[in-house]
């Protein structure tokens, strides 16, 4: 028997899942990646297939999960995560957040593993409290376009907490705010790949509404560090991880135009229904409990991310249509 820790990461081929796989491999863990590849892409983890510490299961976690051998930690990151994705595949989004977490929690009980779930700032909906603290319960429209994602994530938190209190399972809940970096999908409809893709193709940047809505963008390595610390902490209540540096979408578009050196313009498109007007994490808990705060500022992070998108092939860059169209 080896003493090496073994971690199962669901959604391993996605943007965040793949960076987590890299981090746990680097920390000396054995990593089991699991993904049904609906929104994930094997390209994100192909560099890991040659490693003996890594194994991959092509599996939908909404169905019963069987993994032989011990598991120390389960990180549940499988889920469509952009508004375009969950509008196109709403039922899968609901299932992976509900049936998927139920399977993960059941597996964790059998394996005596600790579970960390990827929750989201979307549990706060269009927030009436700003910045958002973990104590805020949110302002979510259950039957609006974001309801399938927001409510699945809220249910996921409730289910996880129930396993913690009822079964004494070790659980962790991270509420992830907008995160960016290499391996984001160019066609996932999120604002950063949308803007950078448009700039690289010489198109105008589609700003939704008047661009006065705000977001706070966290670079992926900072997020991964926060998640890693939370997993190893003994804190079972939800923790916000995000960068509190808030910016309007208009200013963000202007930054992208400057960064890419194009002479494109920002053009206004209709604001989608229930688009949160403001979002900024209160990270006091992460600071206190995990000794964590973000290190990478937007200028540095955007530069790395832009270099990644620039390195993509013209075919990839031109894949503007979403893959479910
Ligand atoms: N947005 C935009 N243009 C785009 C895509 C998104 O102006 O082409 C806006 C969107 O309306 C939202 C913000 O950018 O206010 C962030 O959107 P994203 O989909 O990245 O994530 P959200 O935080 O809304 O889940």
């Amino acid at each position: 028997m080896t003493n090496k820790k073994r971690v199962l990461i669901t959604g391993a081929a996605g943007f965040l899942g793949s960076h987590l796989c890299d981090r746990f491999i680097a920390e000396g863990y054995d990593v089991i990646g699991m993904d049904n590849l609906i929104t994930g892409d094997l390209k994100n983890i192909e560099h890991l297939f040659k490693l003996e510490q890594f194994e991959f299961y092509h599996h939908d976690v909404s169905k019963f999960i069987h993994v032989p051998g011990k598991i120390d930690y389960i990180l549940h990151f499988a889920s469509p995560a952009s508004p375009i994705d969950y509008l196109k595949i709403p039922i899968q989004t609901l299932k992976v957040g509900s049936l998927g977490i139920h399977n993960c929690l059941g597996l964790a009980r059998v394996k005596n593993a600790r579970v960390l779930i990827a929750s989201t700032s979307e549990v706060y909906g269009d927030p009436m409290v700003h910045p958002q603290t973990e104590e805020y319960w949110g302002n979510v429209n259950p039957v609006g376009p974001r309801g399938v994602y927001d409510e699945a994530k809220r249910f996921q938190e409730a289910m996880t907490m129930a396993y913690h209190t009822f079964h004494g399972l070790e659980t962790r809940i991270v509420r992830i705010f907008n995160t960016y970096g290499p391996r984001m999908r160019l066609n996932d409809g999120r604002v950063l790949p949308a803007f950078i893709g448009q700039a690289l193709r010489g198109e105008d940047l589609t700003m939704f509404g008047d661009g006065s809505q705000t977001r706070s963008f966290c670079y992926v390595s900072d997020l991964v560090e926060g998640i890693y610390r939370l997993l190893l902490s003994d804190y079972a209540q939800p923790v916000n991880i995000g960068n509190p540096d808030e910016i309007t979408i208009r200013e963000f578009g202007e930054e992208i135009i400057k960064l890419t050196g194009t002479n494109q313009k920002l053009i206004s498109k209709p604001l989608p229904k229930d688009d949160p007007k403001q979002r900024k994490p209160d990270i006091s808990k992460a600071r206190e409990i995990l000794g964590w705060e973000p290190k990478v500022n937007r200028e540095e992070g955007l530069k790395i991310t832009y270099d990644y998108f620039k390195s993509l092939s013209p075919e990839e860059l031109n894949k503007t249509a979403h893959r479910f169209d």
Side-chain angles (χ1 to χ4, degrees):
M1 271 297 266
T2 159
N3 284 331
K4 266 178 103 180
K5 298 273 187 209
R6 193 158 180 247
V7 55
L8 167 66
I9 301 177
T10 77
F15 164 48
L16 298 181
S18 67
H19 283 284
L20 286 164
C21 288
D22 286 346
R23 175 66 189 261
F24 281 88
I25 293 274
E27 297 286 345
Y29 289 70
D30 284 334
V31 174
I32 312 156
M34 191 172 278
D35 207 299
N36 65 357
L37 304 177
I38 286 193
T39 55
D41 193 332
L42 281 182
K43 241 179 25 147
N44 292 333
I45 47 171
E46 66 187 358
H47 57 287
L48 301 177
F49 278 82
K50 59 179 181 299
L51 305 176
E52 67 175 38
Q53 307 95 289
F54 184 73
E55 55 190 308
F56 180 73
Y57 284 66
H58 184 187
H59 181 70
D60 178 353
V61 295
S62 304
K63 308 215 164 77
F64 183 83
I65 307 170
H66 173 69
V67 177
K70 72 155 190 171
I71 299 177
D72 299 288
Y73 302 119
I74 300 175
L75 280 74
H76 184 44
F77 276 71
S79 177
S82 81
I84 280 196
D85 284 345
Y86 41 82
L87 276 174
K88 301 260 178 186
I89 43 174
I91 314 288
Q92 286 95 328
T93 304
L94 280 159
K95 282 170 76 176
V96 75
S98 51
L99 308 179
I101 189 57
H102 191 214
N103 289 332
C104 288
L105 292 164
L107 179 68
R109 281 190 72 205
V110 173
K111 304 284 185 186
N112 201 15
R114 182 180 297 176
V115 177
L116 180 146
I117 63 158
S119 190
T120 164
S121 54
E122 284 287 331
V123 301
Y124 303 122
D126 190 2
M128 321 277 260
V129 166
H130 193 74
Q132 292 78 58
T133 58
E134 288 87 347
E135 283 70 36
Y136 177 51
W137 293 348
N139 175 36
V140 170
N141 175 3
V143 292
R146 291 176 182 247
V148 294
Y149 183 65
D150 300 8
E151 296 296 2
K153 292 290 187 180
R154 289 167 69 97
F155 173 88
Q156 190 172 293
E157 289 197 10
M159 186 70 138
T160 301
M161 205 39 91
Y163 267 70
H164 176 66
T165 48
F166 188 71
H167 289 306
L169 195 73
E170 287 198 41
T171 55
R172 307 286 179 265
I173 299 174
V174 58
R175 291 191 180 147
I176 299 170
F177 283 66
N178 294 67
T179 301
Y180 69 99
R183 301 186 195 150
M184 284 188 101
R185 224 173 64 224
L186 197 55
N187 60 354
D188 80 354
R190 287 184 166 278
V191 67
L192 182 141
F195 280 179
I196 293 190
Q198 286 159 346
L200 285 170
R201 289 188 302 269
E203 299 163 8
D204 287 333
L205 277 55
T206 53
M207 175 182 74
F208 296 164
D210 62 5
S212 61
Q213 70 273 34
T214 68
R215 294 292 184 275
S216 310
F217 296 96
C218 182
Y219 187 66
V220 63
S221 60
D222 282 333
L223 182 89
V224 165
E225 178 64 29
I227 290 170
Y228 189 74
R229 289 187 189 204
L230 177 61
L231 177 73
L232 299 184
S233 77
D234 57 7
Y235 192 72
Q237 295 297 315
V239 178
N240 289 339
I241 299 285
N243 190 321
D245 187 4
E246 185 182 11
I247 183 172
T248 66
I249 293 301
R250 176 182 289 279
E251 288 165 329
F252 188 62
E254 284 159 0
E255 280 190 6
I256 300 286
I257 289 174
K258 199 164 148 225
L259 170 78
T260 55
T262 48
N263 41 24
Q264 265 49 63
K265 295 188 302 296
L266 284 174
I267 52 166
S268 184
K269 295 276 178 191
L271 188 68
K273 185 168 158 34
D274 296 344
D275 197 291
K277 281 179 276 307
Q278 52 182 1
R279 185 180 288 154
K280 168 183 171 158
D282 180 316
I283 59 165
S284 318
K285 278 216 163 62
R287 279 202 174 99
E288 256 166 60
I289 297 164
L290 311 175
W292 174 89
E293 60 183 10
K295 299 267 181 285
V296 182
N297 66 32
R298 219 173 31 247
E299 198 182 340
E300 292 168 80
L302 283 181
K303 166 98 182 51
I304 304 168
T305 309
Y306 177 48
D307 287 345
Y308 166 78
F309 282 118
K310 263 198 308 193
S311 73
L312 298 179
S313 67
E315 296 78 62
E316 278 175 294
L317 198 57
N318 285 323
K319 263 199 264 163
T320 44
H322 190 271
R323 72 175 70 173
F324 301 105
D325 284 343

